């Protein structure tokens, strides 16, 4: 009796065509009330009144789409006014509303049909999204045309700079030739003065040697108390014993030291004295002449130490300054030095003649000119490589992302502020203060051709972990804005960024998505 009720309920005729509950329109032809039913897997033919009789006949469950008798059956919700749905037939008549039209609960009938409401909401949402897509897409087109224009300008600039580089190369070569020629003349003129200087140095050295010999002679004679032109250990002892440097030594130690100085000889002629202990004795005598440091001097030394310390500090600051300077001047100087060879030696005490002065002046000008030409050439090379690097970046199929280059967008959560500078880097700074942490440097799009996720890697190393990295998920929005940031794994960050550049024209009209008249 109950089965008959179900059958009469489950097979209904609507507008002249038979509908079997739980069956989608596309499969209705397979359920003909005037014929036996063939299981979909072809395993059985059963009388049609066994369809939806709450008894599972077919192994594939195809005979019971509208009851929960077969574990594998699928129930079709028509959901008129909203999206149709397929649910497992086990949910049919379980008291829970699964279909928005309530068709899965046809016995209890405890579910009202909310499909129209859902459909209206979905339609409104689809219209909102379509509107967003439309407006976003027009902004994207504007960004794209600005991007293309910038690309064009940069390409033109690259051509100009490449020409300028050719010119700068010529100027540099000419300057180098002029400098080489000037230096040949300058060196020839200075050669004369170098020879004079060399001679003057030799003469000074010779004089110094003679003076030393005289000093040594005087000391030797002073020590040679018996005047026999030979020094014996006792005579040297007499000279050294009163010295301050000997006061800490015992007589035996001093005697031992003298023996060592005399290379175990028992007596020294003046020549032996000069070859042997003279240098040592001279420095001992010189030390003895040095005044004791007074308390004022000690203070002075402290000041010096302090000054040195300060100087060190300045040096460190200077180092930092240098490190910050992108153009390493020192390196540049080194290059110049290496290329231009040694500068003319500062020949002191020598007055150059007018011609030499003129040649040095020309040499200096030529060196300076070459230095400037080198610098211009390098500047151009740097600009060109910057432009090339820029133009090689993938700014989207229509350059719609290009205008984001050079801009930065911030987002703050409770602990950190994140800053995204598209195509450059992502950084993080703690709200407690402290320096920025680089989370990553622009690498590429995650999947080439899909412009929905950016990858930034090679960030600062994580303590006891890998280098930091960040992914940026892009969605369509009317403004450029970071609207979320998280760290799902330690030192791996995800930022959410909306931008019109990520908007596309809507493919379909919103109404097409809502199936209203499926049955
Ligand atoms: C900092 C931040 C955090 C990160 C830890 C790792 O505190 O960069 O995001 O998790 O370092 O030590």
């Amino acid at each position: 009796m109950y089965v008959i009720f179900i059958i009469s309920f489950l097979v209904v005729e609507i507008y002249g065509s038979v509908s079997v509950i739980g069956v989608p329109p596309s499969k209705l032809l397979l359920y003909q009330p005037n014929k036996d039913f063939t299981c979909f897997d072809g395993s059985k033919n059963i009388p049609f009144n066994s369809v939806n009789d709450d008894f599972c006949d077919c192994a594939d469950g195809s005979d019971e789409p509208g009851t929960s008798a077969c574990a594998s059956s699928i129930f079709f919700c028509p959901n008129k006014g909203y999206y149709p749905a397929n649910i497992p037939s086990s949910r049919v008549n379980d008291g829970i509303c699964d279909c928005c039209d309530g068709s899965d609960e046809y016995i209890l009938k405890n579910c009202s049909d909310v499909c129209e409401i859902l459909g209206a909401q979905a339609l409104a949402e689809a219209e909102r999204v379509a509107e967003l897509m439309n407006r976003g897409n027009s902004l994207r087109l504007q960004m794209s045309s600005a991007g293309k224009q910038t690309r064009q300008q940069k390409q033109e600039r690259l051509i100009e700079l490449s020409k300028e580089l050719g010119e700068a190369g010529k100027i540099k070569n000419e300057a180098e030739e002029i400098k080489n020629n000037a230096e040949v003349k300058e060196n020839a003129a200075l050669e004369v003065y170098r020879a004079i200087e060399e001679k003057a140095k030799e003469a000074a050295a010779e004089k110094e040697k003679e003076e030393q010999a005289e000093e040594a002679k005087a000391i030797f004679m002073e020590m040679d108390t018996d005047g026999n032109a030979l020094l014996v250990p006792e005579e040297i002892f007499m000279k050294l014993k009163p010295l301050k440097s000997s006061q800490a030594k015992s007589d035996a130690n001093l005697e031992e030291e003298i023996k060592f100085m005399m290379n175990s000889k028992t007596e020294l002629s003046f020549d032996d004295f000069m070859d042997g202990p003279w240098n040592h004795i001279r420095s001992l005598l010189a030390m003895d002449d040095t005044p004791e440091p007074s308390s004022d001097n000690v203070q002075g030394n402290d000041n010096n130490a302090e000054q040195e310390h300060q100087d060190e500090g300045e040096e460190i600051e200077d180092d930092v300054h240098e490190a910050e300077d992108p153009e390493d001047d020192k390196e540049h100087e080194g290059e110049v030095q290496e290329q231009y060879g040694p500068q003319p030696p500062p020949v002191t005490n020598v007055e150059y003649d007018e011609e030499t002065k003129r040649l040095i002046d020309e040499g200096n000008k030529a060196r300076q000119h070459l230095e400037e030409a080198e610098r211009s050439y390098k500047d151009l090379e740097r600009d060109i490589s910057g432009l090339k690097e820029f133009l090689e970046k993938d700014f989207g199929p229509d350059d719609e992302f290009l205008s984001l280059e050079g801009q930065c967008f911030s987002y703050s959560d409770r602990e950190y502020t994140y800053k995204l500078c598209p195509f450059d880097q992502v950084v993080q700074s703690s709200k407690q203060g402290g320096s920025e942490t680089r989370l990553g440097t622009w690498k590429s799009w995650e999947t080439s051709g899909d412009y929905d996720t950016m990858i930034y890697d090679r960030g600062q190393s994580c303590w006891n972990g890998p280098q930091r990295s960040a992914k940026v998920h892009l969605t369509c929005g009317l403004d450029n804005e970071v609207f979320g940031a998280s760290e799902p794994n330690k030192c791996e960050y995800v930022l959410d960024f909306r931008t019109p550049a990520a908007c596309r024209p809507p493919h379909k009209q919103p109404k097409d998505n809502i199936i209203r008249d499926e049955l």
Side-chain angles (χ1 to χ4, degrees), residues 416 418 428 437 439 462-463 468 487 490-491 493:
Y416 299 106
Y418 294 86
Q428 175 201 52
T437 305
L439 305 185
C462 192
W463 194 69
R468 287 175 171 79
E487 189 180 350
K490 198 165 176 107
C491 294
Y493 303 82

Side-chain angles (χ1 to χ4, degrees), residues 192-204:
V192 178
Y193 291 93
R194 287 198 188 105
I196 294 171
E197 180 76 355
E198 207 47 51
K199 273 195 186 139
K201 267 192 208 155
E202 276 166 19

Side-chain angles (χ1 to χ4, degrees), residues 4-18:
I4 292 166
F5 163 76
I6 290 178
I7 290 171
S8 62
F9 183 82
L10 299 184
V11 180
V12 288
E13 191 166 332
I14 298 173
Y15 308 126
S17 70
V18 172

